[in-house]
Amino acid sequence: AITKEEDIQKMLVCKTHLGTRNCDYRMKRYVFRRTVDGIHVIHLGKTWEKIMVAARVIAAIENPADIIVASQRPYGSRAVLKFSQYTGTNPMAGRWMPGTLTNQITQKYLEPRLLIVTDSRTDAQALKEASYASIPVIALCDTDSPLENVDIAIPANNKGKESIALLYWLLAREVQYLRG
């Protein structure tokens, strides 16, 4: 009974729709319009749909510990830890150890089925390794985020802490709903 409209209102309150001044050409299709001062406004209907798609992908993986949620952003780390607490995924908050997905000798070596990152620019190292290990990636992308190696982009403001928190909250809620 939870409606799309309510979620989108929450996103507006958390400023999820505010992008940046720059716009990556692959993110153009998620941009609704530009404001007078040149900030791109993200189409929240598309954000919501992408969250639903991502939640289905996450819920489809039988063992949630096979999912890594990464964030190098200080704002994203708490959201990532909370998300992992409620969905049973594997959090990697703080520094991404290079070679986590590619170097079998390291102690931290992991072979996840899915990688979720908070920002495709700051978590570029994680994305790069996921592309080497052919691991699908879900990323929260702002209007200026590079979309290389990102399989599911969730268009949203990944700069503000409320926005990141809300996105992970919606994602966690949907995953738990789909798992029953």
Side-chain angles (χ1 to χ4, degrees):
I2 308 154
T3 58
K4 182 173 173 179
E5 277 68 39
E6 283 174 27
D7 288 349
I8 287 180
Q9 272 170 336
K10 288 196 188 86
M11 287 187 202
L12 284 169
V13 171
C14 292
K15 311 231 186 318
T16 307
H17 60 298
L18 297 178
T20 51
R21 296 245 166 141
N22 310 343
C23 182
D24 191 276
Y25 66 99
R26 286 157 299 193
M27 289 296 287
K28 261 213 182 79
R29 54 192 231 224
Y30 302 122
V31 172
F32 176 57
R33 53 188 290 252
R34 284 179 81 171
T35 58
V36 185
D37 49 1
I39 290 172
H40 292 83
V41 176
I42 293 168
H43 193 310
L44 286 183
K46 293 181 181 174
T47 302
W48 190 83
E49 281 161 19
K50 275 306 191 63
I51 288 176
M52 299 301 131
V53 172
R56 289 204 182 95
V57 172
I58 296 167
I61 290 175
E62 308 86 58
N63 179 10
D66 284 342
I67 304 173
I68 291 184
V69 195
S71 169
Q72 295 194 6
R73 278 280 166 80
Y75 284 160
S77 50
R78 184 184 154 90
V80 163
L81 293 168
K82 286 284 182 197
F83 176 79
S84 300
Q85 181 188 333
Y86 288 109
T87 52
T89 52
N90 190 356
M92 292 274 294
R95 185 171 177 276
W96 176 268
M97 188 69 193
T100 302
L101 307 178
T102 49
N103 184 355
Q104 292 92 347
I105 307 167
T106 52
Q107 310 283 302
K108 295 219 163 59
Y109 179 66
L110 295 162
E111 297 187 71
R113 298 268 307 272
L114 177 69
L115 175 69
I116 306 172
V117 296
T118 311
D119 179 7
S120 56
R121 182 161 282 140
T122 50
D123 300 318
Q125 179 67 34
L127 286 188
K128 201 172 179 183
E129 292 180 22
S131 74
Y132 290 150
S134 59
I135 292 163
V137 174
I138 297 175
L140 306 184
C141 293
D142 213 325
T143 48
D144 62 348
S145 297
L147 290 182
E148 278 91 11
N149 310 329
V150 175
D151 298 289
I152 297 178
I154 300 176
N157 170 7
N158 58 18
K159 309 284 185 276
K161 56 172 181 279
E162 288 93 358
S163 177
I164 296 176
L166 176 73
L167 290 161
Y168 275 116
W169 181 82
L170 287 169
L171 209 50
R173 189 195 67 192
E174 281 307 309
V175 170
Q176 285 186 316
Y177 171 71
L178 290 169
R179 284 184 187 157

